[in-house]
Amino acid sequence: MAIEMGKTTAAGQAPGTEEPPDTGVRTPHEAGDRHRLTALQGLAALSLDAMASVAYGPESIVLVLAAAGAYGLGFTLPVTLAIAALLAVLVASYRQVIAAFPDGGGSYAVAKKHLGRRTSLVAAASLILDYVLNVAVSVTAGVAALTSAFPELYGERVWICLGVLVLVTAVNLRGVVDSAKAFLVPTAVFVGSILTMVAVGLFRDGPVSTASAVGHASALGDGATTVGALLLLKAFAAGCSALTGVEAVANAVPSFRAPAARRAQRTEVALGALLGVMLIGLSVLIGRFHLQPVAGVTVLAQLADASFGHNLAFYVVQFATMVLLALAANTSFGGLPVLMSLLARDNYLPHVFALKADRQVHRHGVVWLALVSAALLVFSGGDTNTLVPLFAIGVFVGFTICQVGMVRHWYGERPKGWQAKAGLNGFGALLTGVSAVVVTATRFTEGAWLIVLALPLIVLGFEKVNRAYAQIGARLELGRIPQPPQRSRSLIVVPVSGLSRLTCQALTAARSLGDEVLAVTVTHTGPEDRQAAEALRRDWELWKPGIELIEVASATRSLGRPVSAYVRELMQKHPDAQVTVLIPETEPTHLWQRMLQNQRGSVVAHAVRRDTDAVICRLRFRITADAR
């Protein structure tokens, strides 16, 4: 950024400058800023994934440790504290990433600058996979909570998932600020209910109620007491699923209002603090109530039961969890389109993904994410367990690459205290790298092999797109000063099939555009066709437009190929001339009337574009209601 973050006033104004008077007219920048996020709105729009992960993060730890029996569950809090320590490292790291890379991109931007092009593409591919899977996992998890409360809806879960996805997509197409406002209340209700549950539970000597777990089989291991390093690593890696979404703020820095970097840093710290407090608080309650995992009931539901009792507060927690899980997909809609726009600018994705709509939303990225996520929902049948084994692997890869890249960043920049910062990032890279290896190894046969296969395929796709753009750029000589434009002889070819007002306007336009105009008609060998050709020739001689009518014979009933063959022959005879094919077409007022057209213009245009390098000009003749 042009203005250093440490040298601006609270209002984002450089010292020594006066605030301009309010004229009542918004500048383009101010108008665009209305569609960007404040820190609070950013917390609602970009933290839903991380916030909602407290619903399944602690449960993932408990389910792994339950294999070692009640003794193993005693390690829930130490494992959670290790995850909280890693969370602190990641938050500190991504604060630095935000300051160093205010254009967004997260691990992709860091790797691109410090680790090379190929590594940056691996980071981008991993983030894309994580964001897409986050949408599918969040939606299916939210719908699973709904169908648990209303079992009669279970058979319609795929349609419900698609309905939720359409809702989230529609909100995001209206702009990131509108999505933040829409999700602010559900986020506040969820965070408030979890913190209240933790606070109330700390004052309980024992569980108020266990009604939610009654009648459900325990998932605790029988008689197991050994807790080895591998089990702890598996529990740590499983619990790290609660860290997904931490990187979303760094990926979407341009979505914030100015000063964007400072607001994004505040959002990152607030996210880390809230997430850490909730994770540690829930783990303390698990130990305090000696909770055991049971089939069919979530750990969070048991904790709410134990803290509040089986009453209205219990259902509030469940409903808030259901809503937030379903809407946690919004994190991907906030982060992935920005990342895709950066990849498009670097020629690794189609340039259409870099375009923004009026509301500062990357509409094409939002739509693409929705379509791919819908395909995953249909493929999985709306089942969360089918998708969870694929989840979080990509984000660990991105974490690791980002941390290693920041180590290189500190080593190259060497600011004051760089050794401590590099050590912090190096330690974080070690932890996330180990987590990535453990998660991949333990879930390889459960579907993680798909991620291992998909990562290189996506990178190869990036490379192919980049090579295509490189070839186009070389052909267009982009980056070079072209030769001065020169005027060449202009030949205009006008396909005609009869005399009409359309023919007259087409030839008039052609004369104004070119030095020489050639009217071309295609003749066929059938008796009726010969009569039509003779009639056109006779009418043309009577009309005397001063333009030669050239007849191109065709043995078949085709139209496009004879015209393109004539144009190709003309270009060979006149290599220094600019040949333009002007195709006259009618354009009816009503859409349904267009189905009545013969589409000859489209046929000719397709053939000429396919077979020649001639310029194609399509003249539209609008037919209005009062046309005669």
Side-chain angles (χ1 to χ4, degrees), residues 122 124 147 277 280 323 362:
V122 174
T147 56
V277 168
I280 294 174
V323 172
H362 295 92

Side-chain angles (χ1 to χ4, degrees), residues 548-565:
E548 181 183 2
L549 178 64
I550 299 172
E551 298 182 13
V552 178
S554 173
T556 63
R557 303 292 300 178
S558 63
L559 178 65
R561 287 187 182 275
V563 174
S564 66

Side-chain angles (χ1 to χ4, degrees), residues 527-573:
E528 295 182 359
D529 296 316
R530 284 198 301 268
Q531 292 179 5
E534 292 173 358
L536 176 59
R537 190 182 310 115
R538 184 175 56 253
D539 293 342
W540 195 272
E541 291 175 354
L542 292 174
W543 184 33
K544 296 181 181 179
I547 297 173
E548 181 183 2
L549 178 64
I550 299 172
E551 298 182 13
V552 178
S554 173
T556 63
R557 303 292 300 178
S558 63
L559 178 65
R561 287 187 182 275
V563 174
S564 66
Y566 172 78
V567 172
R568 187 167 58 249
E569 181 181 349
L570 190 65
M571 295 179 70
Q572 292 172 353
K573 289 181 179 179

